Amino acid sequence: MRWSEGICVRVFPFGILGCSRSCRTVIVLALGLVAAGCGPDTGGRSGISGKVHFQGSPVPNGTIEFVSADGSQRSGSTITGGTYAIPAPKGLLPGKYVVRINAAEETGPTPTGPPGPESMTQMAQNRIPPQYNVDSTLSAEVTEGGRNEFDFDLP
């Protein structure tokens, strides 16, 4: 039986294996075309990833932020063990971005006393110099379809 002579009768009661070879080929190709268009829609955004080192060592904990020149686009991630990753759905549109990196370092005494707001106060200082965060000189250019992996080795 040809696939055009009874595709509904042949496919549904017996499954795809009950069809002729040409019928199976058409069904598989049609399903392939449908599946090809079923990827996640990221709105043109790209995933971003990379490594961050400060004074030769991976930044153990911190944050990284990418901000467009006009401030309309921004995204960021935590840095853990010197690496960061921003998935495509939360990623960036193609363009140039200013990069800001922060990593807090605890300073001062360890909290003492009974539990409460007073004992939870501990001073922290940014280990990363201002030229890499508030007055950042770092930049990255995100490209459509590019690798978009940015490593930063801060002196």
Side-chain angles (χ1 to χ4, degrees):
M1 176 184 274
R2 289 190 194 159
W3 72 274
S4 60
E5 292 177 340
I7 190 166
C8 290
V9 173
R10 298 287 282 161
V11 172
F12 294 113
F14 304 108
I16 195 168
L17 297 176
C19 290
S20 66
R21 175 185 260 185
S22 61
C23 178
R24 286 192 303 263
T25 302
V26 169
I27 291 171
V28 169
L29 287 175
L31 291 173
L33 289 173
V34 170
C38 291
D41 180 18
T42 62
R45 296 179 180 279
S46 296
I48 313 296
S49 63
K51 298 177 183 172
V52 180
H53 286 80
F54 179 62
Q55 298 179 342
S57 299
V59 173
N61 296 305
T63 60
I64 187 165
E65 180 182 33
F66 293 79
V67 182
S68 63
D70 64 0
S72 65
Q73 297 290 319
R74 72 176 54 217
S75 190
S77 175
T78 57
I79 301 168
T80 305
T83 63
Y84 69 93
I86 304 170
K90 295 183 182 213
L92 299 167
L93 295 171
K96 294 183 180 184
Y97 292 86
V98 173
V99 180
R100 296 184 179 126
I101 299 172
N102 292 285
E105 176 178 60
E106 295 175 359
T107 61
T110 303
T112 59
E118 295 83 21
S119 69
M120 295 175 63
T121 304
Q122 186 169 9
M123 301 299 290
Q125 179 180 356
N126 198 349
R127 293 180 53 202
I128 310 297
Q131 68 262 30
Y132 306 120
N133 44 61
V134 293
D135 299 322
S136 185
T137 58
L138 300 174
S139 64
E141 185 168 359
V142 176
T143 57
E144 185 176 349
R147 192 165 173 199
N148 296 315
E149 189 171 304
F150 306 105
D151 295 340
F152 299 96
D153 193 5
L154 311 177

